[in-house]
Amino acid sequence: MAKDDVTARGFSGKDYQDPPPAPLIDAAEVGKWSFFRALIAEFVATLLFLYITILIIIGHSSQSDPHQLGGNACGGVGILGIAWGFGGMIFILVYCTAGISGGHINPAVTFGLFLARKVSLVRAVAYMIAQCLGAICGTGLVKALQRDYFNRYGGGANQLAHGYSKGAGLGAEIIGTFILVYTVFSATDAKRNARDSHVPILAPLSIGFAVFMVHLATIPITGTSINPARSFGPAVILNREKPWDDHWMFWVGPFIGAAIAALYHQFVLRAGAGRSHPSV
């Protein structure tokens, strides 16, 4: 069927509608309750994320410590359990907050969506501040409840493992964050959401599973950040030299990975999305 025939029959060129690009500066949204509700959601979600995941890390360290009463080298949940904990929490929290704030819970995700014009600069900066404050509070809550274990086992802080170069750590964070943000873009793509009704329902699951897989691969290298707020909270509360020395890579790596994912999705995978054409 010719394109003119499709138009004449009243069909548009696309069977989905891309949302308009977010304005760079949108001062009007600051006066809306929905904006502050989204900030609260990001703060609380990141707080809960850090609280649960750091408890998992500390619990594993305690149970696998042979010098701890009842501990043994084969105890604890292991890397697999830690990875499931991080991925599972992201699945839960994205599911709970997606309809309120978008369920970012990660400055790198927010940065990638900002580059793709999915959120304004005002919202992006506000989200990142809320996420970092939530991470600090979540980590602080763990320390307040389990101070001895928190200090003894390093507070779940990210740092480069012995034997790995800084380049290896940075590369792990870049690639890991690329996988995560690429999954976020794919799971929230307007075209896929319109054509496949199951995609919006499965979005939190696919994002959580991406976090799980990346943790399996990179926990031995950096402890896996792929989320600057996740590294920032423990670094602030623990306040030891090694986590701070390596801290730069947990901002630079995720932001580079998020930028590459945004560019790849917007200018390669969706390069022709703005043109009207019959769907096939």
Side-chain angles (χ1 to χ4, degrees), residues 6 14 25 33 36 38 40 42 57 65 75 87 100 103 110 144 159 167 175 195 207-208 226 242 244 257 269 275 278:
V6 174
K14 296 190 295 185
I25 305 291
W33 163 241
F36 292 99
I40 294 170
E42 288 293 312
I57 294 170
D65 184 357
I100 301 171
T110 300
Q159 58 188 44
I175 296 172
R195 295 181 177 181
I207 294 168
I226 62 172
K242 175 62 173 172
W244 280 123
L269 301 184
R275 297 193 300 267

Side-chain angles (χ1 to χ4, degrees), residues 35 38-43 46-47 101 104-115 119-136 227-230 232-233 251 254-255 258-259:
F35 176 77
L39 293 184
I40 294 170
E42 288 293 312
F43 171 83
T46 314
L47 183 155
S101 65
H104 297 194
I105 323 170
N106 184 336
V109 170
T110 300
F111 181 66
L113 293 173
F114 164 70
L115 292 181
V119 296
S120 69
L121 177 61
V122 173
R123 184 175 290 265
V125 172
Y127 272 24
M128 291 181 192
I129 293 172
Q131 291 155 359
C132 288
L133 290 176
I136 293 172
N227 181 339
R230 177 263 179 272
F232 184 67
W251 284 88
F255 273 38

